[in-house]
Amino acid sequence: MVTTRFYLDCRDCAPGSPAPLKIVLTLKGVRALIATNISLLPTQWDSRRQIVIGHARKQQFNSLLAEQKIAIDSILFRLSSAGELRGLRACDIRRLVLAELHPEAAESESKRVTFLARFNSFITRRSSGTQRIYLTTLTRMRAYLNERLDALAFEDITVQWLRDFDKFLTKTSPSRNARNIHFRNIRAVFNDALDDEVISCYPFRKFKIVPEKTRKRALTVEQLRNLFSASVTSASEQRYLDCFKLIFMLCGINIVDLCHLTSVVNGRIEYSRAKTHRLYSIKVEPEAAVIIEKYRGANLLLNYADTCSDYRFFYRHLCEFLRGFGRSLSLSPLSTYWARHSWATIAASLDIPKETIAAALGHGGNSVTDIYIDFDRSKVDAANRKVLDWVLYGKK
C-alpha cells in the first residue's frame, strides 16, 4: 500500500533558508518525492499536524496542499483499485502520478536518464585525482555489465542490483572497505542527480555501506623513538625518514597536502585540504621547521616534487622505503598513514579530547563549528606540542 505525507526537505538548505515542501510517496519503506512548489522555513511547518504555521499565506498554502494531497490520493486509489500499481516501485508510481498531474513534466521524465551520462558529467567537476578513483569504479561496472552499461538507467540500480554487483566485486576484491569505495562513488552520483531533481529513486536508503574494521596502524612511543633515531645508509633514505617525521610533527598531514605546501606564514602552514577542500592551519614547531629548512624547495615549500612532475613519483619511492625500513626494524611494513594514526593514538593516550584530535586530523562534518580554520587552533597547537614533547623528549 502506498502512503502519502508532506516532508520539508531541509537536506541541502543553509540554516535560516527556506526549504522545499514535498509530498512523499512511500511503498515498503522506499520513498519517492513530488514537489509542491512551496518553500518554507522550518519554523513555518508543523510536521506532526502536517500544516503550515506562522506564515502570512498559511491559509492559502494549507488549502493548496490539501487539494494536492486529495488529488494524489485519488489517483493512487484509482490506480490501486484497477490493479495498475501491482509490482511497481515507488519511483514508477511517482511517474504515473505525475503523468496525470503534469503530463508535460511526465513526458520529459519519460526519457530515462542514463547513469553513465550523469556519471561522466559528475566527474568532470572533480579534481584529476578524484576522477581516477571514480573511473576505477566505472571500469568495474563495465566489467560487470559490458555493453549494458551504456543504457543503464538510475532506476535499474536497485538494492538487488547493488547486492549482485557486490558479489561480483568479491571475486577480485575480498576487502569490504575496498568494495565500499565503489559504492560510495555510485552513491555520490545518485546524490548529485537527486540534488538537481533529475531522479527520484534512491536505493541507498536500503543498501547500507557498512565499513569493516581495519587493523590499527599505530606505532608505540618506543617504536617511534627507535624509528626516528635509526641509522640509514644514504642521503635519499634520510630524506624519506625525515619526511615521515615531518608528517608526524605536522599532526599526520596527508602527503598530497604536504607536497603542495607553498610557504610558512607567521609560523603556520595554511592550506585547503585536497580531500575535503576545507581551510586548515597547523603551527610549525621548531623541530618541524628544521626539517622544512633542510628540504626547502625551489618552487614549493619542500623539494619533494622539484625533481619530478608529479608528487606521486616521490610518494611511491617513499612508500617503498617505509615498507622495507619497517621490516628491517622488526616492525610491520610502514606507510605514511602510520605517522597519522600514531599521532592520533598517542594524543588519545595523553588524554587529549577527541574533538581536538579530530580537528587536528581534519575530520568532521559540514556545520559551522566543524570548519577547522574557525576551531580554536590553540587547542590543536597545544595538543601537538604535548605529543612531540612526550615522543621526542619523554616529557608529559
Side-chain angles (χ1 to χ4, degrees), residues 142-273:
R142 177 74 69 182
Y144 177 56
L145 295 172
N146 297 316
E147 69 279 357
R148 289 176 293 154
L149 175 62
D150 298 327
L152 181 71
F154 279 92
E155 291 83 355
D156 296 327
I157 304 177
T158 62
V159 172
Q160 189 57 52
W161 188 97
L162 292 169
R163 289 170 179 161
D164 292 340
F165 183 47
D166 188 42
K167 289 179 183 177
F168 170 79
L169 291 174
T170 57
K171 297 175 183 176
T172 55
S173 183
S175 167
R176 159 59 59 189
N177 289 338
R179 301 198 303 276
N180 282 349
I181 294 172
H182 299 303
F183 292 111
R184 283 196 294 268
N185 292 345
I186 294 172
R187 184 178 62 186
V189 179
F190 263 89
N191 289 338
D192 183 63
L194 276 175
D195 289 343
D196 290 345
E197 298 187 352
V198 173
I199 61 171
S200 60
C201 54
Y202 194 69
F204 290 97
R205 292 189 183 95
K206 289 287 187 179
F207 184 87
K208 302 302 181 183
I209 303 174
V210 182
E212 185 177 63
K213 274 196 171 183
T214 58
R215 64 186 178 88
K216 297 293 184 182
R217 289 179 286 185
L219 297 169
T220 66
V221 173
E222 283 303 320
Q223 288 173 328
L224 271 175
R225 290 170 182 165
N226 292 336
L227 179 67
F228 288 172
S229 61
S231 299
V232 292
T233 59
S234 66
S236 62
E237 289 188 349
Q238 186 64 57
R239 186 177 180 226
Y240 296 137
L241 180 56
D242 286 341
C243 181
F244 185 89
K245 292 180 186 177
L246 186 59
I247 291 172
F248 180 84
M249 293 176 183
L250 295 178
C251 305
I253 187 173
N254 189 280
I255 187 68
V256 62
D257 295 320
L258 181 68
C259 289
H260 288 97
L261 294 175
T262 58
S263 61
V264 177
V265 179
N266 296 324
R268 308 187 73 87
I269 54 172
E270 297 184 344
Y271 59 95
S272 175
R273 280 197 73 200

Side-chain angles (χ1 to χ4, degrees), residues 306-362:
D306 280 354
T307 56
C308 54
S309 58
D310 195 319
Y311 82 93
R312 292 178 184 81
F313 181 83
F314 170 78
Y315 180 50
R316 185 165 62 251
H317 287 279
L318 170 63
C319 290
E320 290 174 359
F321 164 76
L322 290 175
R323 283 194 293 270
F325 198 60
R327 292 191 187 96
S328 71
L329 297 177
S330 300
L331 303 173
S332 299
L334 301 178
S335 69
T336 56
Y337 288 105
W338 283 78
R340 182 175 177 84
H341 289 213
S342 297
W343 190 96
T345 302
I346 292 170
S349 74
L350 295 173
D351 295 325
I352 293 169
K354 286 184 178 180
E355 61 269 19
T356 302
I357 297 173
L361 297 175

Side-chain angles (χ1 to χ4, degrees), residues 11-290:
R11 291 173 296 179
D12 297 318
C13 296
S17 299
L21 186 67
K22 300 177 180 179
I23 296 178
V24 183
L25 309 181
T26 305
L27 176 66
K28 297 179 180 178
V30 179
R31 304 190 306 169
L33 305 178
I34 296 177
T36 65
N37 297 322
I38 292 176
S39 293
L40 301 167
L41 294 171
T43 55
Q44 296 170 335
W45 176 246
D46 187 330
S47 60
R48 184 180 64 82
R49 293 192 292 162
Q50 294 276 285
I51 60 171
V52 180
I53 57 174
H55 193 285
R57 300 173 61 191
K58 64 179 182 181
Q59 289 184 337
Q60 180 185 0
F61 282 168
N62 283 328
S63 296
L64 288 171
L65 293 174
E67 290 175 6
Q68 289 186 38
K69 191 171 189 305
I70 290 172
I72 290 174
D73 286 343
S74 298
I75 292 171
L76 292 172
F77 179 77
R78 180 169 47 79
L79 293 174
S80 179
S81 299
E84 295 182 33
L85 302 184
R86 194 175 295 114
L88 296 184
R89 298 167 296 177
C91 58
D92 298 324
I93 296 172
R94 173 185 179 272
R95 195 174 294 112
L96 287 177
V97 171
L98 285 176
E100 297 204 24
L101 288 177
H102 311 292
E104 67 288 348
E107 183 179 351
S108 64
E109 279 209 359
S110 65
K111 300 174 182 178
R112 288 171 25 125
V113 179
T114 66
F115 179 84
L116 182 59
R118 189 73 190 189
F119 184 97
N120 289 331
S121 171
F122 177 80
I123 66 172
T124 58
R125 290 172 268 141
R126 300 299 181 271
S127 66
S128 58
T130 302
Q131 286 184 29
R132 278 190 285 270
I133 296 171
Y134 275 81
L135 288 173
T136 301
T137 297
L138 192 63
T139 299
R140 301 310 301 142
M141 293 180 71
R142 177 74 69 182
Y144 177 56
L145 295 172
N146 297 316
E147 69 279 357
R148 289 176 293 154
L149 175 62
D150 298 327
L152 181 71
F154 279 92
E155 291 83 355
D156 296 327
I157 304 177
T158 62
V159 172
Q160 189 57 52
W161 188 97
L162 292 169
R163 289 170 179 161
D164 292 340
F165 183 47
D166 188 42
K167 289 179 183 177
F168 170 79
L169 291 174
T170 57
K171 297 175 183 176
T172 55
S173 183
S175 167
R176 159 59 59 189
N177 289 338
R179 301 198 303 276
N180 282 349
I181 294 172
H182 299 303
F183 292 111
R184 283 196 294 268
N185 292 345
I186 294 172
R187 184 178 62 186
V189 179
F190 263 89
N191 289 338
D192 183 63
L194 276 175
D195 289 343
D196 290 345
E197 298 187 352
V198 173
I199 61 171
S200 60
C201 54
Y202 194 69
F204 290 97
R205 292 189 183 95
K206 289 287 187 179
F207 184 87
K208 302 302 181 183
I209 303 174
V210 182
E212 185 177 63
K213 274 196 171 183
T214 58
R215 64 186 178 88
K216 297 293 184 182
R217 289 179 286 185
L219 297 169
T220 66
V221 173
E222 283 303 320
Q223 288 173 328
L224 271 175
R225 290 170 182 165
N226 292 336
L227 179 67
F228 288 172
S229 61
S231 299
V232 292
T233 59
S234 66
S236 62
E237 289 188 349
Q238 186 64 57
R239 186 177 180 226
Y240 296 137
L241 180 56
D242 286 341
C243 181
F244 185 89
K245 292 180 186 177
L246 186 59
I247 291 172
F248 180 84
M249 293 176 183
L250 295 178
C251 305
I253 187 173
N254 189 280
I255 187 68
V256 62
D257 295 320
L258 181 68
C259 289
H260 288 97
L261 294 175
T262 58
S263 61
V264 177
V265 179
N266 296 324
R268 308 187 73 87
I269 54 172
E270 297 184 344
Y271 59 95
S272 175
R273 280 197 73 200
K275 184 176 182 179
T276 62
H277 304 292
R278 290 193 182 96
L279 294 176
Y280 191 55
S281 175
I282 305 175
K283 181 183 178 183
V284 178
E285 296 294 337
E287 297 86 350
V290 171

